[in-house]
Amino acid sequence: MLRSLKQREIKAAAKLAYNLSLNKATNSYTLRESFHEYEAAFNYAFDALNYELLGYFNNKELIAVISFYTLKKDLYLQTNAVFIKTESETVLTEFINYLKVKYSGYEVFSGYPKENELIIAFLLKQDFQIIESSIDMRLKRSEFTPSNIINPLIKINHNNYSDFAEFHDKKALDVYWNSQRIKADFDNWIIYAYCQASKVRASITIKRNVGEIFSLLIDEEIANIGIESDLITTSLRELFADPNIEEVVFFIDSDDKKAYKYTKNLGFYVYSNYCCLSTKLT
């Protein structure tokens, strides 16, 4: 039976999630590293108005925990925990049916390590599609190896935002964080750009509160002048000025050997291999 978890059940849910997270084949995004991190995340989901925290019970035994959040105005739904101990197909079938009834019309996004083949294979049979296959690169503050800046960059502010916005939305198609949404939360972003003849030719966006590089966009004609390292180095210097930021996340395409090389040179390491699936509920 799938139902909302009660507050007294959160510790058991966190224990189940943490134990399953130790094996990549049963782990799910958002990745966390301790029981206490799961407990804090589930307590937050329990209290937040736009989150749901569900458990699946078999003869009173908790065998699965699922957490997700929604953005109603955007018809957007993102899972941030899908942990299933047994009966995966039964749990997922009931979960998908639950979503179809309550969130018809929403677009669903759900991420997993590629090793979680069981859930990925099942979702592909349920009209989900793989929309992203990437390497989850991480950089610890202590391992940051800045590059020597070669190319002059500009910091994006309210005065020059329109130039960046036009370039960003032309390059980053079908992403949630378009220029309009970034602008609505502008103070939470670090944005730099490279320009030629007063025209933006490359840009980077980093979301401060999650410490993640969300986009690194470059015109193909200037892809071999070291601009990627310049953008990352400059923006991370600003990000790491915040003493509370200890690590940065950057998802790169699985087959992008160039990105793998320049991120490794800057101190990044491979944390996981990521697969994101999506469907529209009808």
Side-chain angles (χ1 to χ4, degrees), residues 20-32:
L20 291 173
S21 76
L22 298 176
N23 184 344
K24 290 183 179 180
T26 52
N27 203 358
S28 76
Y29 274 77
T30 303
L31 302 185
R32 299 179 174 88

Side-chain angles (χ1 to χ4, degrees), residues 158-216:
H158 289 291
N159 294 328
N160 57 16
Y161 190 82
S162 61
D163 296 331
F164 155 77
E166 181 181 357
F167 174 80
H168 179 275
D169 290 349
K170 181 178 69 175
K171 288 287 186 180
L173 302 174
D174 300 322
V175 298
Y176 178 78
W177 285 110
N178 58 32
S179 64
Q180 184 177 1
R181 292 191 174 106
I182 292 173
K183 188 175 183 179
D185 190 29
F186 185 79
D187 290 342
N188 198 26
W189 291 85
I190 295 171
I191 309 172
Y192 282 89
Y194 171 75
C195 296
Q196 283 183 341
S198 301
K199 185 177 180 180
V200 174
R201 301 293 304 279
S203 68
I204 188 170
T205 61
I206 298 183
K207 204 163 190 279
R208 294 178 187 272
N209 66 329
V210 293
E212 180 175 343
I213 300 173
F214 272 78
S215 70
L216 179 60

Side-chain angles (χ1 to χ4, degrees), residues 55-162:
Y56 191 94
F57 293 82
N58 184 359
N59 294 325
K60 298 184 179 182
E61 178 191 1
L62 178 65
I63 63 169
V65 57
I66 300 172
S67 174
F68 63 91
Y69 69 90
T70 60
L71 300 174
K72 186 176 181 179
K73 67 175 182 175
D74 300 316
L75 297 180
Y76 178 95
L77 189 155
Q78 172 81 57
T79 64
N80 56 11
V82 180
F83 292 99
I84 306 173
K85 182 179 178 182
T86 60
E87 302 181 38
S88 294
E89 292 193 4
T90 300
V91 174
L92 289 171
T93 298
E94 191 162 337
F95 175 55
I96 293 170
N97 289 337
Y98 174 86
L99 294 182
K100 286 181 176 179
V101 171
K102 191 169 182 180
Y103 295 102
S104 178
Y106 278 65
E107 194 165 5
V108 179
F109 298 86
S110 196
Y112 304 88
K114 289 182 181 177
E115 293 83 357
N116 196 332
E117 297 177 356
L118 187 63
I119 288 183
I120 293 171
F122 181 80
L123 292 179
L124 288 173
K125 296 177 183 177
Q126 309 300 314
D127 295 327
F128 279 75
Q129 294 183 334
I130 294 174
I131 62 166
E132 182 180 348
S133 178
S134 56
I135 304 173
D136 178 352
M137 304 293 289
R138 304 287 174 107
L139 173 65
K140 296 183 182 300
R141 172 195 290 273
S142 60
E143 300 298 320
F144 181 32
T145 308
S147 66
N148 294 320
I149 303 300
I150 301 172
N151 302 283
L153 305 177
I154 62 168
K155 183 172 173 61
I156 298 300
N157 54 43
H158 289 291
N159 294 328
N160 57 16
Y161 190 82
S162 61

Side-chain angles (χ1 to χ4, degrees), residues 29 31 134-139 248-252 254 268-274:
Y29 274 77
L31 302 185
S134 56
I135 304 173
D136 178 352
M137 304 293 289
R138 304 287 174 107
L139 173 65
V248 176
V249 180
F250 185 25
F251 290 89
I252 64 172
S254 296
F268 284 82
Y269 68 97
V270 176
Y271 187 72
S272 179
N273 291 290
Y274 175 72

Side-chain angles (χ1 to χ4, degrees), residues 28-44:
S28 76
Y29 274 77
T30 303
L31 302 185
R32 299 179 174 88
E33 297 186 349
S34 71
F35 162 80
H36 295 293
E37 287 184 37
Y38 283 106
E39 185 180 24
F42 292 166
N43 273 307
Y44 180 87

